[in-house]
Amino acid sequence: MPVTKTDAGPRSPARRSAIKTLAAAAAGTASLPLWARYAGAQSAAPIRIGFQMHATGIGAAYGRWYDRTTRAALRLINEAGGINGRPVELVTEDDGTDPKRGAEVVEKFASLHRCDVGYGTLFSHVVMGSAPRAGELKLPYFVVSEGHHVASGALNRWTLQPGITDVKSQVLAMAPFVRENLGRKVTMIFPDYAFGHDHRDFFSQAIEAQGGEVVAKLAIPPTETSFTKYFAKIPRETEVIYHVMVGPSVLTFVKEMGEFFGPSRPEIFGFIDSLESVDLQSPGLDFLEGTYFWEGMPRYVQPDQTEFDRHYRAAIGIDENGALAADPSDVSAYAHMFGCWETLYVIKAGMEACGYRGPDDRAALVEAVEAMTEMPLSNDHPQGAKLFNGRTHQVFGPQYISKVENGRLVVQAETPIEAGFYPDEVDYTTQSL
């Protein structure tokens, strides 16, 4: 991915000044009475964002945190004057974490609810089932999925992923750490659907490029509830277990892995998906002490916490442990849900850049987002500075490697953005709108 460098980097004084100026302006707008915030709008009609929520099904744990994050971001956006002086309205439909229902939800957004955009889909198989219909309906479709399906060219020009990095980028950035610090011979455990297949394919390539070897690949159905039979298939030569699991039985998966290996386990490197929304203090997780995880955004407050992470946590109501402040037993999907927050601010920036007025400007919105490049660390992008590739519709950003120490995730390394770059596989801008 070619990158044009500028003198004003993400943390430069010029950018910090710009961010402070924008924040001051937003604060001034928020202090106005509600009628005054939208007084300059060409239309009083709200902008409608169709939120495709995994309210039920295997993605429900993520869905409720995607919902909380979405509502917090939109509250702040509306308090600051909305988008182009118009209020923003959320239209939520449950897709059941099901591809067929996902396509039906997209249809409802476009035809029944007259939404301006569709947004928020996470699970890869649902994205793959929904995005083609969004393309047919010419509905801008902003996914928060991590799957490589967008940047691979498998979808269409109407589908974009500007708020979260994809698996291919993540594993390219992680593989050197695994090889240099944990071991060379790896057994992979992953869910048997598109997201897991991305891990299988791209991590295998990445670790081999580092001189490592995948000695076994264990695919597990995402609805599986018992896992010991899979652990028995792990070769004795394994030096590192690489695991990424999703679904309602992730806690069972991790507990059974600990029971199987006991104190004589190999090194373990997991993607936090295997424990997203799970309390690390849960009984049976003691064996994770000293193991490593990828995190999209650190769940626990770190010593070098930014003001932007503080702002983000406060807006949603999350404590220093990544749980709901009002109920510490309710642990967030912190490594993923920032993608909702950041995507909404990308939609806002895109609509403002193209002077969005309504559905007739949908194509102009896609083109405006395609023109974006640098996204500085800010309240809009609290996870970290990013670079957006308008040709592939995929954003690139930092990754975090954390270690379990005293029952908490402590960041050991933050990878640079360029560690996740890979050659373009598509140029969506050559496709018609």
Side-chain angles (χ1 to χ4, degrees):
M1 174 184 169
V3 179
T4 301
K5 296 204 179 278
T6 66
D7 291 333
R11 297 178 183 267
S12 72
R15 287 202 180 276
R16 288 198 296 269
S17 177
I19 292 167
K20 288 178 181 176
T21 300
L22 289 170
T29 305
S31 67
L32 294 172
L34 190 62
W35 64 267
R37 298 178 203 171
Y38 308 115
Q42 294 180 339
S43 168
I47 287 172
R48 311 194 89 195
I49 292 179
F51 175 32
Q52 186 173 339
M53 180 182 175
H54 300 337
T56 56
I58 62 172
Y62 289 91
R64 63 194 177 90
W65 280 102
Y66 271 36
D67 179 62
R68 285 170 173 166
T69 305
T70 295
R71 292 181 184 280
L74 289 183
R75 184 185 73 249
L76 294 186
I77 288 171
N78 279 327
E79 287 175 355
I83 298 176
N84 291 332
R86 295 165 58 188
V88 183
E89 179 179 292
L90 190 67
V91 178
T92 301
E93 289 279 354
D94 176 21
D95 64 13
T97 326
D98 176 79
K100 183 176 181 294
R101 281 179 61 181
E104 294 168 354
V105 165
V106 169
E107 174 82 41
K108 291 176 72 173
F109 286 154
S111 304
L112 176 63
H113 298 305
R114 297 292 293 165
C115 291
D116 295 279
V117 302
Y119 147 89
T121 323
L122 168 60
F123 274 59
S124 301
H125 63 305
V126 183
V127 172
M128 294 296 288
S130 306
R133 190 63 184 129
E136 293 166 357
L137 294 166
K138 299 186 182 299
L139 179 73
Y141 189 53
F142 292 86
V143 301
V144 190
S145 170
E146 296 183 302
H148 183 58
H149 30 55
V150 178
S152 72
L155 299 177
N156 54 67
R157 193 174 179 184
W158 293 92
T159 304
L160 308 98
Q161 187 158 246
I164 195 167
T165 60
D166 69 342
V167 168
K168 185 171 185 176
S169 178
Q170 292 165 5
V171 300
L172 282 170
M174 298 291 108
F177 181 91
V178 174
R179 173 64 185 90
E180 293 167 12
N181 296 278
L182 304 182
R184 187 177 69 84
K185 295 185 178 182
V186 183
T187 288
M188 297 187 66
I189 305 174
F190 53 88
D192 193 11
Y193 74 105
F195 170 70
H197 300 162
D198 278 355
H199 275 272
R200 174 197 66 196
D201 297 341
F202 300 130
F203 182 78
S204 296
Q205 296 169 14
I207 198 69
E208 288 169 8
Q210 297 295 320
E213 176 188 4
V214 175
V215 296
K217 300 174 183 178
L218 306 181
I220 299 180
T223 54
E224 182 62 270
T225 58
S226 180
F227 304 93
T228 302
K229 58 181 176 287
Y230 299 99
F231 301 135
K233 298 178 182 179
I234 296 174
R236 295 179 65 86
E237 62 185 309
T238 298
E239 297 171 350
V240 185
I241 294 174
Y242 174 108
H243 66 90
V244 52
M245 285 301 296
V246 297
S249 298
V250 290
L251 182 56
T252 302
F253 166 77
V254 177
K255 283 183 175 181
E256 289 186 4
M257 181 163 57
E259 291 167 358
F260 183 86
F261 285 107
S264 58
R265 61 168 177 78
E267 294 285 359
I268 296 177
F269 184 92
F271 268 59
I272 199 62
D273 308 58
S274 298
L275 284 174
E276 195 72 306
S277 296
V278 173
D279 188 349
L280 289 185
Q281 303 296 326
S282 300
L285 298 186
D286 296 351
F287 85 99
L288 289 174
E289 189 73 15
T291 68
Y292 295 83
F293 284 91
W294 164 89
E295 293 191 275
M297 188 172 183
R299 177 190 296 186
Y300 293 84
V301 168
Q302 304 296 311
D304 60 349
Q305 182 190 26
T306 67
E307 62 184 286
F308 312 116
D309 182 69
R310 281 193 293 273
H311 169 83
Y312 171 73
R313 286 178 189 263
I316 305 170
I318 296 176
D319 68 16
E320 64 175 12
N321 298 317
L324 192 67
D327 179 6
S329 67
D330 191 352
V331 179
S332 72
Y334 207 79
H336 295 81
M337 66 195 203
F338 71 87
C340 294
W341 179 285
E342 298 202 12
T343 298
L344 288 168
Y345 278 98
V346 168
I347 293 170
K348 178 179 184 290
M351 287 184 168
E352 290 171 347
C354 72
Y356 187 89
R357 293 165 294 181
D360 289 344
D361 292 330
R362 286 172 175 164
L365 171 59
V366 171
E367 292 173 329
V369 175
E370 288 175 339
M372 295 180 181
T373 53
E374 291 187 352
M375 299 175 178
L377 176 67
S378 62
N379 282 341
D380 294 359
H381 300 282
Q383 184 264 354
K386 295 180 181 61
L387 286 168
F388 183 68
N389 185 335
R391 296 178 300 281
T392 66
H393 288 190
Q394 178 61 55
V395 79
F396 293 81
Q399 313 298 334
Y400 299 90
I401 301 168
S402 298
K403 184 179 182 181
V404 181
E405 297 180 351
N406 298 316
R408 296 170 62 90
L409 288 161
V410 179
V411 174
Q412 307 295 301
E414 176 184 345
T415 67
I417 296 174
E418 57 270 20
F421 287 170
Y422 52 81
D424 292 358
E425 299 171 35
V426 66
D427 184 353
Y428 284 118
T429 64
T430 63
Q431 299 180 7
S432 60
L433 283 166

